[in-house]
């Protein structure tokens, strides 16, 4: 497509930004699960998550 031909030169930079943002989200999720940091408003709801309904 003619529309995206000009953008193809930015593909490596776009992929790098996508990978960095994905890694930061995985890190944030992992630290929240392991260390409860940053503290979540849903911490009280986690107690009732596995009630077996």
């Amino acid at each position: 497509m003619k529309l995206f031909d000009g953008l193809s030169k930015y593909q490596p930079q776009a992929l790098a930004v996508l990978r960095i943002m994905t890694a930061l989200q995985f890190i944030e999720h992992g630290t929240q699960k392991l260390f409860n940091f940053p503290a979540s408003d849903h911490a009280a709801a986690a107690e009732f998550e596995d009630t077996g309904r």
Side-chain angles (χ1 to χ4, degrees), residues 5-20:
D5 288 342
L7 295 176
S8 64
K9 63 182 175 182
Y10 297 110
Q11 183 181 5
Q13 292 88 350
L15 287 174
V17 169
L18 178 67
R19 289 174 180 146
I20 290 169

Side-chain angles (χ1 to χ4, degrees), residues 6-45:
L7 295 176
S8 64
K9 63 182 175 182
Y10 297 110
Q11 183 181 5
Q13 292 88 350
L15 287 174
V17 169
L18 178 67
R19 289 174 180 146
I20 290 169
M21 294 304 297
T22 303
L24 288 174
Q25 288 180 342
F26 272 107
I27 290 169
E28 182 179 6
H29 179 74
T31 57
Q32 205 282 325
K33 289 289 184 181
L34 291 175
F35 307 119
N36 199 24
F37 177 82
S40 173
D41 293 338
H42 303 289

